[in-house]
Amino acid sequence: MFKKILSWFSADIAIDLGTANTIVYMNGKGIIVDEPSMVALSIDRNSMTKKILAVGQEAKIMLGKTPGQIEVIRPMKDGVIADFHVTEQMIKYFIKKASDKVKVFSVPPTIVICVPCGSTQVERRAIKDSALAAGARKVELIEEAMAAALGAGLPVESPQASMVVDIGGGTTEVGVVSLGGLVYADSIRIAGDRIDEVISNHIRSKHGLLIGDATAEDIKKRIGSAHKNADVGEMKIRGRSVYDGLPKEVSINSSEVREALHDSLEQIIGAVKKALESTPPELAADLIESGIVLTGGGALLNGLPELISDATQLNVIVAEEPLLCVAKGCGMALDYLSSNKVYFNRLK
Ligand SMILES: Nc1ncnc2c1ncn2[C@@H]1O[C@H](COP(=O)(O)OP(=O)(O)OP(=O)(O)O)[C@@H](O)[C@H]1O
Ligand SMILES: [Mg+2]
C-alpha cells in the first residue's frame, strides 16, 4: 500500500548513462534530457580540489578551449564509471534537470539504468551506488543489449530470435534475444571513441597534423565510411602541424578514412560473427529471417550496415532513432519493474 502511495508522488525515470551521451526518459513524457556525458571542473592546484563548473551541453562547449585550471572530462569510459564522484554529481545534475522540467518529483524516483553486458559486478555496483548517492530511491539495472532490443522495437518476447548490435561511444554490445531474455550477450570496448582515436592517429602519422577530439568526431560523422559503396566525398580539416607547430589545413577523403578504420571495424564484425557462432542452431536459423538491427550512434557510420551485411550474409538495418533506442528500452522496462520479466539484472 505504502509503495502504491509513493508511486503516485514520484515519477520514475530511465537513464541511458552512456559514455558519450546521457539520456533521461520518462514514461508518458518521452525523452526529457539528452546531453553529452561531460563535466567541466575547475582545479585548484594548491589544494588539489576540484569544483564542478558545468555539466552536459554547457561542458561540451568548453571542450578543447579551456584555460589551464579548467578541465573537461568524461566521467564514463568504456561504458563504465571512470570517476565515481564526478559521475555521481553528473547523475544528480541530470535528475535535477529532469525534475525541473516536469515538476513532479515530490519523492525520490526509482531509476532504471543500463549497464554494458561485459561489465563486472564491481562496475555494476558502482553505477548503482552512484545513482543512489545522487538521490534515487531504488535503482534497477538492465543490460544495454536488452534495452537496445526493446527500444528498437524487436519482438523480444517471441520465441523467434532477433539480434541487436548497439554501437555506442565506449562499447559495442551484441545481443540475441528470445522469449524475453538475452540468449547471448557480449560487449567489446571498441566503438565510436576508438574510431575517433584511430582517425586522429591516422591524420597525425599520414599528414603530420594534430587535431582535437571534436574534429576527429566531425570527420567520422561527415566523411567516415565503412563500405566502398558509401563514399561521401572529402573535406578540409584544420589542426596544428607536428613539424613546426603552425596551424595547417589538409584535405582528406572517405576512402582514406575507410582504410584507416579497417582494423577497428573488423573487430566489430568479429564480435558479431562470434555471436552468430555461439547462438544455438535453431535460433541462428531464425536470424536468417529477422536479420540484424543496429542501434547506438555508431550505427550512423556511413556504410556500416552494408559492411556487416556483406560479412554475415544477413539483412542488416538501422533502427529508427538509433541514438535513443537504449533510453527508450530502459523506459519500457520501467513498466515491467513489478513483473517477473528477466529483463533486469537483479543486483542485491
Ligand atoms: N552520424 C554519425 N556517424 C558516425 N558516428 C556517429 C554519428 N552520430 C553519432 N555518432 C557516434 O556515436 C557515438 C555515441 O553514440 P551513443 O550515444 O549511442 O553512445 P553512448 O550510449 O553514449 O555510449 P556507450 O553505449 O558506449 O556507453 C559517438 O562516438 C558519436 O561520435
Ligand atoms: Mg549506449
Side-chain angles (χ1 to χ4, degrees), residues 69-88:
Q69 73 280 19
I70 299 178
E71 194 185 356
V72 177
I73 66 157
R74 293 173 47 181
M76 305 289 295
K77 190 168 172 10
D78 299 336
V80 295
I81 293 180
D83 186 321
F84 186 86
H85 175 69
V86 177
T87 303
E88 179 191 314

Side-chain angles (χ1 to χ4, degrees), residues 230-281:
D231 247 320
V232 272
E234 60 172 39
M235 72 185 270
K236 286 195 168 58
I237 50 167
R238 288 175 187 168
R240 187 155 52 84
S241 163
V242 288
Y243 308 115
D244 55 16
L246 296 174
K248 182 179 163 187
E249 186 178 85
V250 299
S251 195
I252 59 162
N253 63 34
S254 256
S255 67
E256 179 182 340
V257 178
R258 186 168 60 249
E259 265 169 48
L261 299 186
H262 179 269
D263 291 356
S264 306
L265 297 177
E266 274 303 308
Q267 297 198 51
I268 292 177
I269 287 174
V272 175
K273 283 189 171 164
K274 187 173 151 213
L276 292 169
E277 284 159 16
S278 314
T279 302

Side-chain angles (χ1 to χ4, degrees), residues 13-16 22-26 30-34 94-95 98 327:
I13 55 173
I15 304 182
D16 171 7
T22 297
I23 303 176
V24 182
Y25 183 94
M26 185 184 287
I31 305 288
I32 46 177
V33 175
D34 180 358
F94 288 130
I95 294 178

Side-chain angles (χ1 to χ4, degrees), residues 16 18-21 79 144 166-171 192-193 217 220-221 296-298 300-301 323:
D16 171 7
T19 310
N21 301 297
E144 208 166 354
D166 178 77
I167 307 139
T171 61
D193 288 346
E217 188 183 19
K220 170 182 71 178
K221 289 183 181 174
L300 295 168
L301 180 68
L323 282 151

